[in-house]
Amino acid sequence: MNFRLTIRCLLFALCPLLFAICHLPLAICQDRSSSGDLIVKAWHAHGDKDVKATFDYTQQIIDLYKGEADKEEASLKSLPKNRPDIEAAGILNDVATAYFIQGESYRDQGKSKEAIQAFKVVVEKYCYAQAWDPRGWFWQVAKAASESILKLNPDEKISTPCAQISKVETKIKVSQLATKVVLYDPGKEDFVNYNKYGEFKNAGIKGYQYIVKDQEGLSAAAGEGVYPNTTSIRWDPEFKKAKEAKRLEGSHWDFVQSPDLEAAFLKWATAPEPQGVKLFYTGLILEKSGLLKHALKCYYSIVVHFPGTYGWTYWHTPWYVGQAALAKINFILRNNPQFGYKLEDAEIRIINGYDNDVSNDQVIANPGKFVKVNFLDKFKPKPSVDLLSIKKRLGKGKVHLLQYETGDWRLIVDNKIYLIKGITYAPTKVGQSPDNGTLKNWMEEDYDQDGKADGPYDAFVDKNRNNVQDKDEPNVGDFALMKEMGVNTIRLYHHPAKLDKEILRDLYETYGIRVIIGDFLGKYALGSGAPWNPGTDYNNPEQKKMMMDTVRDMVTEFKDEPFVLFWLLGNENVYGYACNADKEPDAFFKFANEVALMIKSIDPEHPVAICSGDILYLDKFGRDCPDIDIFGTNAYRGDYGFGALWQQVKAEADRPVFITEFGCPAYAEGKSVEEQEVMQAAYHHAAWQDIRQNMAFDGGAGNSIGGVAFEWLDEWWKAYEPSVHDTKGLWVGPFPDGFMHEEWLGICGQGDGKLSPFLRQPRKAYYTYKKMWR
């Protein structure tokens, strides 16, 4: 995620030659272009530091749309939360952003007074405006404007209704009672025997269904909140009490992260959502309350009754609830062996389910069955590799991949099994940001002027977290800390910042850490010569040639370096920011395959991997990329691992898999620092457990070769103001408080930021990995 660069900067400061943005004459816009078109042009002009064009575009927006924006602001009572509602206030968003851009332009010119005045218009008049960030979320313009004002003048008085609204919302959350669920009707069976109450038809083929023949018996076995028992919840005495106490008021979505677990359970068990979605969130709340067997019944009810149910993510992409429910079941059973059960032969496949069109989906479901675990099963020996034949070898060199007759994959380096225990390393000094052109190359930073790069060699551990380097806290450097943690791989890109070979040689020779070197392959318009908007076009011959050339240069420069593990192409290009891979996935994947063939013609010693976005267009990858050796993907799926991903890759592409990004914020609203770190560590532990479970001969899909945790160190610039460690949630997702806090993803923190780039505060996740990886 550190590679998703905001539209505000377009990396002009880092690589201006890549962004030759052409501006249309302003006269063309006089036909009252839409506010959205104008705001894009305003951002481009601001990025180009074309002050006249910046103010021409922004003032045109203000003059044409201010009245409409004022009406939209007045019509809102709270900050819109989902994308359709946010986009419905488009005029408001664009006018507020126009004032914000003017403020930034004044600030860049050194006109602080004028900048503060422009920012204040946003803060005082447009509390509910939000701007789109191409990294995939909306940000609150008034909040960013407030931060900019205080940076320009810390003593400036800011009066805004936003502050009052925030206080009210916080007060409501604090006043909620943290309760646990006590079931009125727990049901008669812990693991429901569905064969007693109905009939399974077409399991494992098209047309699957479960036909209930004894609804009363099934309801009694399941208990309250578990389909088809949808009525006993209203007989629960606590339901009536909660309703009278007004603890059930508001949207059921507001209850997902509520500490009042009892109210959340009662609310979701009666929510007006599709049954599968309702059951999933009911199960989630039961899990939090420690009622794991009842949660299992909720999740399994989805698998039996509603295997093809889908919901929609923050980005309006389909989320297949049945597959998530299966992953939850396996996660709970794996972590609770005292239950003595496993789910056998269960599978849900969604044919045509790798795009955003659900109209042509076909569901193949087999609910499997719960069976007693044989205690002796865990002592069964793994197959002897020496006795297995090799089915396939990918790569000719010292780094290659082997597939055994069982279908399992392993990465081999220097004739030894290599498991990727990786971390994304991009140490950023607090206060730096690509948004304002201040982001530096960490390989070249030497603020203490000792002749060594600061992060790798001069970082120290703030053991007592007092934000001071005490006498017993010597400089040790990140490389040594990563080695101690068990890291054996980091992931880097060869552009836009130049890689220092001497540092990477030392990383390998002294610390035993190898490097996956990547090329963005046109993502963020890097390497293609395309402008940010519309971005890289994978059908454009000239752009394809430029990308091919930059990859060729990368491979030629680094192919003989001993620290290279393999090559990585792209960074979740299928999500489409500043490129058209989301609209032309076949063109993108076919081009990626051409690039892979070119790499192998130059360097047969190292495999080629792709970095995709979860499993979007996985079927097209499988068809279009026969010469890419490894499927890599950025996946943020939750604290129960990666679900069906491993089996899906096995079915669609039959390639080894590594997770190129996964992680969790060390911040959750309303939780203490201790609680936050425990939740982050638990998330990472579960993710790695799933990665491990799916390695060769470990009982899963057998195609996992490791993963790259995101990330080593908090980056403070992600939510706009780089000198503030921002706690706002950027997008809704499967994280401890339901939001991604992208400035808190570090395995290590930077304390209060005053001793950046040197201070490190390793979090509990660091020691969790140290235990797992060492």
Side-chain angles (χ1 to χ4, degrees), residues 539-557:
N539 289 308
N540 184 304
E542 292 181 4
Q543 293 180 22
K544 288 164 68 175
K545 182 181 182 303
M546 288 190 70
M547 289 184 281
M548 191 75 82
D549 288 344
T550 189
V551 174
R552 183 180 292 107
D553 291 344
M554 171 188 75
V555 176
T556 303
E557 181 178 2

Side-chain angles (χ1 to χ4, degrees), residues 450-491:
D450 66 349
K452 297 179 294 183
D454 293 327
Y457 301 108
D458 296 327
F460 73 93
V461 175
D462 180 21
K463 293 185 291 187
N464 56 10
R465 300 199 176 191
N466 65 351
N467 291 292
V468 173
Q469 185 171 11
D470 298 313
K471 291 182 179 180
D472 63 342
E473 297 172 346
N475 294 351
V476 291
D478 287 333
F479 288 175
L481 291 173
M482 288 192 289
K483 178 182 178 181
E484 181 68 18
M485 175 174 146
V487 173
N488 66 4
T489 311
I490 66 171
R491 173 188 168 195

Side-chain angles (χ1 to χ4, degrees), residues 8 16 49 54 59 268 271 285 324 329 380 489 507 548 562 605 614 681 726 760:
R8 296 191 293 279
K49 301 189 184 305
T54 297
Q59 197 58 48
W268 265 100
I285 293 155
I329 292 167
K380 286 183 179 179
T489 311
L507 173 70
M548 191 75 82
E605 291 292 318
D614 207 277
D726 206 305
R760 302 288 183 264

Side-chain angles (χ1 to χ4, degrees), residues 325-518:
L326 273 180
K328 275 287 190 182
I329 292 167
N330 290 325
F331 174 73
I332 292 172
L333 293 177
R334 186 167 63 236
N335 286 281
N336 294 275
Q338 71 274 14
F339 291 167
Y341 278 90
K342 64 180 179 180
L343 183 58
E344 202 169 68
D345 298 327
E347 182 185 22
I348 297 174
R349 286 187 291 130
I350 311 294
I351 297 174
N352 302 319
Y354 298 110
D355 56 24
N356 296 329
D357 180 9
V358 297
S359 65
N360 62 350
D361 287 355
Q362 296 180 38
V363 181
I364 307 293
N366 182 352
K369 59 182 178 179
F370 288 103
V371 297
K372 284 280 189 180
V373 174
N374 186 337
F375 174 74
L376 297 177
D377 284 349
K378 65 180 180 179
F379 296 106
K380 286 183 179 179
K382 295 180 181 180
S384 174
V385 176
D386 295 334
L387 300 177
L388 295 175
S389 62
I390 302 298
K391 178 180 177 182
K392 187 183 296 184
R393 172 171 172 152
L394 299 180
K396 301 176 181 178
K398 63 181 180 180
V399 183
H400 60 271
L401 298 128
L402 295 179
Q403 186 180 36
Y404 299 92
E405 61 182 273
T406 57
D408 297 69
W409 287 94
R410 275 181 170 163
L411 174 63
I412 307 296
V413 180
D414 293 332
N415 296 317
K416 296 180 181 178
I417 299 166
Y418 193 96
L419 168 60
I420 299 169
K421 302 173 183 176
I423 195 85
T424 299
Y425 187 69
T428 305
K429 188 178 187 296
V430 169
Q432 291 183 1
S433 171
D435 294 347
N436 53 29
T438 59
L439 185 65
K440 309 297 183 185
N441 183 351
W442 60 266
M443 293 187 171
E444 299 172 352
E445 289 186 311
D446 183 17
Y447 287 95
D448 58 2
Q449 298 183 341
D450 66 349
K452 297 179 294 183
D454 293 327
Y457 301 108
D458 296 327
F460 73 93
V461 175
D462 180 21
K463 293 185 291 187
N464 56 10
R465 300 199 176 191
N466 65 351
N467 291 292
V468 173
Q469 185 171 11
D470 298 313
K471 291 182 179 180
D472 63 342
E473 297 172 346
N475 294 351
V476 291
D478 287 333
F479 288 175
L481 291 173
M482 288 192 289
K483 178 182 178 181
E484 181 68 18
M485 175 174 146
V487 173
N488 66 4
T489 311
I490 66 171
R491 173 188 168 195
L492 298 174
Y493 281 77
H494 78 109
H495 57 134
K498 186 174 177 58
L499 299 181
D500 186 319
K501 289 184 180 180
E502 292 304 318
I503 288 178
L504 297 181
R505 286 170 184 162
D506 185 56
L507 173 70
Y508 172 66
E509 293 168 3
T510 305
Y511 303 96
I513 298 174
R514 296 177 185 265
V515 183
I516 297 170
I517 300 183

Side-chain angles (χ1 to χ4, degrees), residues 5 16 49 82 187 192 322 400 415 432 437 541 579 591 613 629 656 692 716:
L5 306 174
K49 301 189 184 305
N82 59 62
V192 177
H400 60 271
N415 296 317
Q432 291 183 1
C579 74
F591 174 64
D629 305 306
R692 182 82 205 181
W716 286 31

Side-chain angles (χ1 to χ4, degrees), residues 91-229:
I91 299 295
L92 165 63
N93 298 335
D94 293 335
V95 170
T97 304
Y99 279 111
F100 181 83
I101 294 172
Q102 288 187 350
E104 284 205 328
S105 184
Y106 280 128
R107 181 200 63 196
D108 294 348
Q109 297 172 62
K111 298 179 179 180
S112 298
K113 182 179 178 181
E114 292 86 346
I116 289 173
Q117 288 176 343
F119 288 136
K120 275 193 168 183
V121 173
V122 181
V123 172
E124 294 171 359
K125 295 197 66 176
Y126 301 116
C127 178
Y128 299 124
Q130 298 176 76
W132 171 249
D133 189 308
R135 288 172 291 174
W137 57 75
F138 287 90
W139 49 279
Q140 194 173 356
V141 188
K143 189 176 189 308
S146 298
E147 292 171 351
S148 296
I149 292 169
L150 294 175
K151 186 174 181 180
L152 289 166
N153 181 7
D155 298 322
E156 190 74 32
K157 303 294 183 186
I158 301 176
S159 176
T160 169
C162 296
Q164 298 302 317
I165 290 166
S166 298
K167 288 176 183 176
V168 171
E169 290 176 348
T170 302
K171 184 177 180 182
I172 291 171
K173 288 179 180 178
V174 171
S175 69
Q176 289 174 326
L177 297 174
T179 63
K180 287 194 173 183
V181 179
V182 178
L183 294 172
Y184 165 71
D185 176 15
K188 294 182 178 180
E189 298 178 18
D190 286 340
F191 292 86
V192 177
N193 183 354
Y194 280 89
N195 287 309
K196 288 167 55 178
Y197 310 106
E199 180 184 358
F200 292 99
K201 285 193 172 183
N202 300 323
I205 60 176
K206 293 180 182 179
Y208 163 81
Q209 59 179 322
Y210 174 71
I211 301 171
V212 180
K213 295 186 174 180
D214 180 3
Q215 181 157 325
E216 186 176 343
L218 180 56
S219 294
E224 64 180 313
V226 181
Y227 185 85
N229 192 335

Side-chain angles (χ1 to χ4, degrees), residues 13 50 62 176 305 379 404 416 493 630 645 656-657 714 763:
D50 184 339
I62 292 166
Q176 289 174 326
H305 297 286
F379 296 106
Y404 299 92
K416 296 180 181 178
Y493 281 77
I630 305 168
L645 183 149
V657 185
D714 287 348
R763 296 182 169 124

